[in-house]
Amino acid sequence: MSTVGTEALDTLAHRYIAMWNEPDPDLRRALVDGLFAPACVHFTPTREVRGRADMLERVRDAHAQWVAPGKHHFRAVPGADGHHGAVRFTWEMADTATGAAVSAGSDFLVLDASGLIVSDHQFIDR
């Protein structure tokens, strides 16, 4: 993959964000399986996750902490970009009642030839 249009990259970012917001465990698993390669890695400043099973657990825990109580949801910020198998995009965690962003960050993804995420570096900006 060399250069992909912004629309396709924004779609990937929206699918990625939908995974964190998804309340149904079976649908959440399907999203993880459809986004991540089996031997994926996911890094945050404080975590290192390896493999789909651990990624699913990571998403489940984040959902339980931030989304399930009903106070927050995640949303992708338009304008994802990428080239040569890498994608970067920005996201926000918003207050569900007001819509105001209470946190923001970005992810840098490396994709395999089939478009699955093999490496995900997540950065928390605020």
Side-chain angles (χ1 to χ4, degrees):
M1 171 173 114
S2 56
T3 302
V4 176
T6 301
E7 185 176 321
L9 297 175
D10 279 343
T11 298
L12 173 63
H14 285 287
R15 287 178 48 226
Y16 180 93
I17 294 302
M19 168 185 74
W20 300 93
N21 289 324
E22 180 53 57
D24 182 279
D26 293 330
L27 293 176
R28 191 179 314 129
R29 175 183 297 278
L31 285 164
V32 169
D33 289 348
L35 286 165
F36 288 87
C40 64
V41 292
H42 169 78
F43 303 106
T44 74
T46 60
R47 295 179 193 221
E48 187 173 308
V49 175
R50 297 188 177 276
R52 272 190 192 150
D54 288 346
M55 188 64 201
L56 181 61
E57 184 177 327
R58 159 86 170 107
V59 174
R60 184 197 69 221
D61 291 348
H63 183 273
Q65 180 178 3
W66 301 109
V67 178
K71 293 183 179 183
H72 302 100
H73 65 277
F74 295 98
R75 61 187 179 211
V77 175
D81 69 353
H83 58 83
H84 296 90
V87 178
R88 67 179 178 172
F89 64 91
T90 302
W91 52 266
E92 296 174 331
M93 182 172 72
D95 181 289
T96 300
T98 67
V102 296
S103 181
S106 59
D107 278 72
F108 180 81
L109 311 176
V110 177
L111 309 178
D112 66 14
S114 66
L116 293 176
I117 300 165
V118 294
S119 177
D120 174 6
H121 290 73
Q122 187 174 86
F123 299 86
I124 311 300
D125 300 329
R126 63 178 167 125

